[in-house]
Amino acid sequence: MTAQEANLCFHCHLPIPNDFNQNFEYQGKTRQFCCLGCFCIAETIISSGLDDYYKFRTAVAPKADELIPGEFKVYDEQEVLESFTSSSSEYSQTIELICENLQCSACSWLIEKQIGKLPAVSKVSTNVTDQTVYLDWDKKKSKLSDILLKFHHLGYPVKPYNPEQVSSLHQQQNKSWLKRLGLAGLGMMQVMMYAVALYIGAFDGIDDVHQSFLRWVSFLVATPVLFYSGFPFFSNAYRAIKTWQLNMDVPIAVALSLAYITSIWATLSNSGEIYFDSVTMFVFFLLIGRYLEYQARQEVRKQFDFKDSLSALLVNRIGSNKTIKAVPVQKVVLGDSLLIKPGEPIVFDGVISAGESSINEAMLSGEFMPSNKRQGDKVLAGSINGDSPIEVEVTHLKEQGFMNNLKQMQKKALLDKPKITLIADKVARYFVTAILLLAVSTFTFWYLKDPSQALWITIAVLVVSCPCALSLATPVALACGVSSLNHRNFLVQDQDFLQKLSLATDVILDKTGTLTKGELTVESISNFTDKSNQSLLAIIASLESSSEHPIALAFKGYSNIKIQAKDIKVYPYAGVAGNIEQERYWFGNKFFISDNTQTQECLMNTSCLYLTNYNSILAEITLSDKLRDELHNSCRDLMKAGKRLHLLSGDPSGQVKALAEDLGIEDWRNNLKPEEKLDYIKSLKSSSEMANILTIGDGVNDAPAMAASDTSIAMAGASELTKVNADSYLLSAKLADIQFALKKSAQTNNVIKQNLTWALCYNIFMIPFAIAGMIPPYLAAIGMSLSSIVVVINSLRLNPK
């Protein structure tokens, strides 16, 4: 660093004042700044992974005259903006933001309501689970910095999404929740011990000195519990009030504040009652509910995280002189030509520039049979090269590729909120307004009648009527229900899935990959030689030894080291040929055999495979797909539960009919195209208004049917598009888990109804007694806490055993 550079600000290149010293280490050098604003801007850019801004900027950055506006203005720089936004049109921009203060549905509602009102914002969606915000705005109408500044003023500062930061953020927040909960629990136990002594002293007598001492100690313990453990309730209430809105934390904050302030007054005046025990208990039990909900959401988030199947760190890049060099994936640029060997994953979307091979796209399409790809055909990241080496020209880097787009689609699928939660939130907001009006009316009435009782009775009304149980009734039950499904390998995408699933009357089943495993096995062999079946199968295994084709995998168990094929030649999507002991063998479908040998095509059919020498057929092989374990029991259980089963398959063979008859499914169709499956579902719906359809499938061809159904489940190994469009994804491939999900759905709905009934009945029953002055505040706090505990405990019955 030159002397001149040392005296200039790293961000704006203005002189650094002599009396200002602010710096940090970056790229092995100490970077100096002229003001706190420039320091914070640079720290934000670098911590967000946007330090390319400093590498490629063509002009000096503007000076940050004010800390917050200056920090946001950097996001208006074109180089920075392009690095984390996407465009759907000339002016429409989309950005994913991370919001540390996004904690609950009340926060979500407030953000969407306030930010959504801005003229430039076309859509704002929040994901509480990931603490992310998706923002669509018109850059012609507003700069991004102005919108981010609105987030800041609202109390929800945001910054561009960074996966590493999200993981670190959740770890920090989990520690914060545990610290708040631990302090509240310890504080509650301590204050309760002092309260017991005070209650006993009230009946048996206690001198003023000891009473005053216990009250002051209770105050000292309750204060950090209220202001540290209870901070989330006060901060959420403050944000709501600041925007002239009401949420469930408002009456909680008011009740806590009144109980705390009046207890301090009672302690100072040594008269009246103190309610520090109620304050700590109130905070502790509320935190339990919030933490349980937070943990359940994090479990869902972890389960939904895509595991990157493209684990390759190096790829083979072909140079201009046809030399091949292994390079890190980060060094690949658009237009590079890569060599993909047989069995290797395709890491980047691209086009085959040389070669021909079978490509296994099971991860993307759910189809276990590979597809033949030739020069000029597109290949997608995530697929596996099968038989022969190919050269692929890179058309999309990983961050712009098909797989990354699927990840973004899946994340956005979590943005919608359950309808029942939206209803509960709306009812609760009206309920909060009614509570506050009722509290004011109660205070006015008692102040005119008996001023000495007005404050205590008002606190009792606020505490006893606080909709804490109502706010916990739905989210805790849903979180526990989802957590239970997670433990049975269900990933829930649609937040209404648990409510809708139990209503299903008709279940649409696909065959391949849903009722079957998608794993080929040898069903039968017709032997036309004097050799044993085992020897013939060993010959086929040797011919297929160099292939990863699903058909080849069906013969791996029959290999014999004494039988080794040489001069093997693979014919993609047709067959294979090779020499064994001076004799040439061919194995494949009838068209491949008839084109390459002198065998008679009329003796063969299209549903079998054949092993031949040049002149005659040696064996006819029939392959079949393995049925899933416990298939018969699962279908029988579904039918016993009153569900009508329908088998719809694209398989043209007679196996569909045979399987349907074996399972006792009367309604079946084979050789169906995707649009025909869709028509079947529409016809089923039109024939009965009561029909509620659940579709279970795994391939892209099932996606339209899933979209038309009331709810859907994607099986293990499903195509990525099918996973994204389905309401849930079953990882285990165990059909028995579907019956479990149906039962858990019904149980969750019942628990939610029980919770809501209890919460509303409790409030309706207890409020009149509180207004009449028959319930002291400490009993109101105990009753309110017990009401919340009842809801939480009832919901915990849904948790996995």
Side-chain angles (χ1 to χ4, degrees):
M1 181 184 294
T2 65
Q4 183 178 6
E5 289 176 332
N7 294 323
L8 298 179
C9 175
F10 173 66
H11 177 71
C12 68
H13 285 192
L14 291 178
I16 300 173
N18 294 329
D19 57 347
F20 186 80
N21 183 21
Q22 189 74 46
N23 60 70
F24 65 68
E25 292 290 326
Y26 172 61
Q27 293 185 336
K29 297 181 180 179
T30 300
R31 308 296 182 172
Q32 301 282 344
F33 299 91
C34 66
C35 65
L36 192 58
C38 288
F39 170 79
C40 290
I41 292 173
E43 187 178 45
T44 299
I45 292 174
I46 293 172
S47 65
S48 300
L50 307 173
D51 50 335
D52 281 350
Y53 166 73
Y54 289 115
K55 297 177 184 177
F56 304 117
R57 62 177 173 179
T58 56
V60 176
K63 177 175 171 58
D65 296 322
E66 298 178 10
L67 174 59
I68 297 303
E71 181 180 348
F72 292 143
K73 284 178 182 177
V74 73
Y75 295 124
D76 295 331
E77 299 288 333
Q78 189 64 27
E79 296 90 345
V80 178
L81 192 64
E82 290 177 353
S83 64
F84 54 78
T85 61
S86 58
S87 303
S88 56
S89 65
E90 184 179 358
Y91 298 111
S92 180
Q93 298 281 310
T94 300
I95 183 174
E96 184 180 6
L97 304 165
I98 181 170
C99 181
E100 186 173 348
N101 290 342
L102 179 55
Q103 302 286 347
C104 63
S105 59
C107 302
S108 175
W109 176 82
L110 190 59
I111 289 174
E112 292 178 0
K113 184 174 181 62
Q114 294 297 313
I115 302 299
K117 292 193 302 185
L118 298 177
V121 176
S122 55
K123 184 178 180 182
V124 57
S125 302
T126 57
N127 185 341
V128 177
T129 301
D130 260 346
Q131 292 183 291
T132 55
V133 179
Y134 280 88
L135 178 70
D136 294 340
W137 90 100
D138 188 337
K139 66 178 184 180
K140 186 178 181 182
K141 295 181 180 179
S142 175
K143 295 180 180 179
L144 178 60
S145 60
D146 295 334
I147 300 175
L148 298 185
L149 189 59
K150 179 65 177 178
F151 273 99
H152 176 79
H153 290 157
L154 193 60
Y156 294 95
V158 293
K159 55 186 175 182
Y161 178 86
N162 183 305
E164 289 75 18
Q165 287 183 332
V166 171
S167 179
S168 175
L169 171 63
H170 290 313
Q171 291 177 3
Q172 295 174 5
Q173 289 187 335
N174 189 60
K175 291 179 182 179
S176 177
W177 277 108
L178 290 175
K179 288 178 182 178
R180 296 183 194 279
L181 192 56
L183 177 63
L186 289 173
M188 182 190 70
M189 289 188 289
Q190 291 295 320
V191 175
M192 287 298 292
M193 287 193 297
Y194 306 143
V196 169
L198 289 170
Y199 293 148
I200 294 175
F203 292 102
D204 295 343
I206 184 173
D207 59 68
D208 292 343
V209 175
H210 285 115
Q211 183 185 56
S212 178
F213 173 76
L214 290 174
R215 288 187 171 193
W216 278 107
V217 173
S218 298
F219 161 73
L220 292 175
V221 175
T223 298
V225 171
L226 179 70
F227 290 105
Y228 177 70
S229 298
F231 177 77
F233 309 115
F234 287 102
S235 60
N236 287 341
Y238 171 73
R239 294 188 194 106
I241 293 172
K242 188 170 70 171
T243 56
W244 297 95
Q245 306 291 334
L246 292 176
N247 61 21
M248 295 199 186
D249 287 328
V250 172
I252 291 175
V254 172
L256 285 171
S257 300
L258 286 176
Y260 180 73
I261 293 170
T262 52
S263 297
I264 292 177
W265 174 255
T267 301
L268 291 172
S269 62
N270 202 26
S271 61
E273 298 291 338
I274 64 168
Y275 303 101
F276 293 123
D277 55 330
S278 299
V279 169
T280 56
M281 185 167 58
F282 194 8
V283 171
F284 177 68
F285 287 125
L286 280 174
L287 281 177
I288 287 179
R290 296 283 173 92
Y291 183 67
L292 286 173
E293 183 183 353
Y294 172 79
Q295 281 293 90
R297 284 175 173 164
Q298 294 315 302
E299 184 68 22
V300 175
R301 181 189 66 82
K302 291 175 185 177
Q303 293 282 356
F304 269 106
D305 279 345
F306 271 92
K307 294 176 176 62
D308 193 353
S309 63
L310 309 177
S311 56
L313 299 177
L314 299 174
V315 291
N316 295 312
R317 185 165 63 187
I318 303 173
S320 56
N321 56 356
K322 293 299 180 180
T323 58
I324 299 174
K325 181 180 180 182
V327 297
V329 293
Q330 294 85 356
K331 296 292 185 180
V332 174
V333 298
L334 293 178
D336 276 355
S337 185
L338 306 178
L339 174 65
I340 313 296
K341 299 177 182 178
E344 288 186 345
I346 297 173
V347 184
F348 299 92
D349 292 2
V351 174
I352 296 179
S353 56
E356 178 181 351
S357 183
S358 60
I359 306 297
N360 188 334
E361 297 179 328
M363 180 181 174
L364 304 172
S365 67
E367 176 56 56
F368 66 91
M369 294 293 291
S371 58
N372 194 31
K373 299 283 187 178
R374 299 179 175 85
Q375 185 174 348
D377 290 342
K378 293 181 180 179
V379 291
L380 299 175
S383 50
I384 306 296
N385 185 23
D387 303 308
S388 308
I390 55 175
E391 295 180 14
V392 174
E393 181 182 339
V394 177
T395 58
H396 294 87
L397 299 180
K398 291 180 72 173
E399 57 269 20
Q400 290 96 31
F402 179 74
M403 185 66 69
N404 187 69
N405 291 336
L406 289 173
K407 292 181 183 182
Q408 296 302 319
M409 289 170 63
Q410 180 143 350
K411 290 179 70 174
K412 290 183 178 181
L414 294 173
L415 295 176
D416 293 332
K417 297 172 180 59
K419 294 176 183 177
I420 192 168
T421 299
L422 295 174
I423 294 172
D425 288 347
K426 188 174 182 179
V427 170
R429 284 195 290 274
Y430 286 119
F431 195 66
V432 168
T433 304
I435 289 170
L436 296 176
L437 292 174
L438 185 62
V440 172
S441 301
T442 300
F443 179 82
T444 303
F445 172 80
W446 280 101
Y447 186 80
L448 295 174
K449 182 178 180 180
D450 185 356
S452 64
Q453 298 295 319
L455 183 59
W456 306 109
I457 293 175
T458 302
I459 292 175
V461 170
L462 279 171
V463 173
V464 81
S465 62
C466 182
C468 177
L470 183 63
S471 67
L472 295 174
T474 301
V476 175
L478 285 175
C480 292
V482 169
S483 177
S484 184
L485 290 185
N486 290 157
H487 280 75
R488 286 293 288 264
N489 301 298
F490 266 98
L491 301 184
V492 178
Q493 292 190 154
D494 184 351
Q495 298 296 310
D496 287 319
F497 176 73
L498 271 173
Q499 281 75 55
K500 297 188 295 187
L501 185 60
S502 63
L503 303 176
T505 59
D506 295 80
V507 180
I508 306 295
L509 299 166
D510 181 39
K511 183 181 78 72
T512 305
T514 301
L515 300 184
T516 64
K517 294 182 177 181
E519 299 175 7
L520 294 177
T521 58
V522 177
E523 181 179 331
S524 65
I525 175 172
S526 298
N527 190 336
F528 306 114
T529 72
D530 57 357
K531 295 182 179 181
S532 67
N533 289 350
Q534 199 67 29
S535 297
L536 293 174
L537 292 172
I539 290 174
I540 298 173
S542 181
L543 293 172
E544 296 279 13
S545 60
S546 61
S547 175
E548 292 298 321
H549 194 287
I551 291 178
L553 298 178
F555 296 95
K556 273 201 169 181
Y558 300 102
S559 59
N560 187 331
I561 59 173
K562 296 181 179 180
I563 300 177
Q564 298 292 326
K566 298 180 181 178
D567 298 326
I568 297 173
K569 184 175 181 181
V570 176
Y571 298 82
Y573 231 55
V576 62
N579 294 333
I580 299 177
E581 297 180 352
Q582 308 305 316
E583 186 173 5
R584 189 72 172 174
Y585 292 92
W586 286 263
F587 175 69
N589 59 42
K590 65 173 290 186
F591 305 109
F592 169 71
I593 298 298
S594 63
D595 289 343
N596 291 276
T597 68
Q598 293 296 319
T599 55
Q600 298 181 35
E601 184 178 344
C602 61
L603 299 177
M604 299 180 284
N605 63 67
T606 55
S607 61
C608 298
L609 298 173
Y610 294 89
L611 174 66
T612 73
N613 55 24
Y614 188 72
N615 295 310
S616 60
I617 298 173
L618 305 179
E620 180 184 82
I621 311 295
T622 301
L623 300 180
S624 64
D625 198 355
K626 287 183 180 179
L627 297 180
R628 291 198 183 274
D629 300 332
E630 301 180 351
L631 172 60
H632 292 81
N633 291 337
S634 298
C635 289
R636 185 170 56 250
D637 289 342
L638 288 171
M639 287 187 280
K640 282 184 179 179
K643 313 299 180 185
R644 288 186 298 170
L645 303 187
H646 307 257
L647 178 55
L648 306 182
S649 177
D651 186 350
S653 72
Q655 293 183 12
V656 178
K657 179 182 178 181
L659 181 58
E661 291 176 348
D662 184 36
L663 297 174
I665 300 176
E666 297 180 359
D667 301 305
W668 62 270
R669 302 285 189 280
N670 69 337
N671 198 24
L672 291 182
K673 298 177 181 178
E675 58 269 23
E676 291 173 329
K677 285 188 177 184
L678 181 60
D679 290 339
Y680 184 92
I681 290 176
K682 289 180 179 179
S683 175
L684 190 62
K685 279 191 169 186
S686 62
S687 64
S688 174
E689 294 182 0
M690 302 298 294
N692 192 291
I693 298 174
L694 163 65
T695 295
I696 305 172
D698 72 312
V700 171
N701 62 331
D702 297 315
M706 288 182 169
S709 302
D710 296 285
T711 189
S712 55
I713 298 172
M715 293 295 291
S719 69
E720 293 297 326
L721 284 176
T722 305
K723 292 179 195 176
V724 170
N725 287 304
D727 297 330
S728 68
Y729 177 37
L730 178 58
L731 289 171
S732 68
K734 295 180 180 178
L735 290 172
D737 287 339
I738 293 175
Q739 181 63 16
F740 169 81
L742 287 165
K743 292 179 179 178
K744 187 60 65 175
S745 171
Q747 188 182 1
T748 301
N749 286 335
N750 288 334
V751 168
I752 290 174
K753 291 175 183 176
Q754 293 167 5
N755 288 348
L756 291 173
T757 301
W758 165 259
L760 291 173
C761 288
Y762 166 80
N763 285 105
I764 293 172
F765 181 76
M766 296 297 288
I767 287 175
F769 289 98
I771 294 174
M774 299 173 65
I775 301 177
Y778 74 90
L779 283 181
I782 292 173
M784 184 279 306
S785 298
L786 288 176
S787 176
S788 300
I789 292 172
V790 168
V791 167
V792 172
I793 291 177
N794 191 43
S795 299
L796 289 176
R797 294 191 297 115
L798 297 169
N799 262 347
K801 300 296 188 290

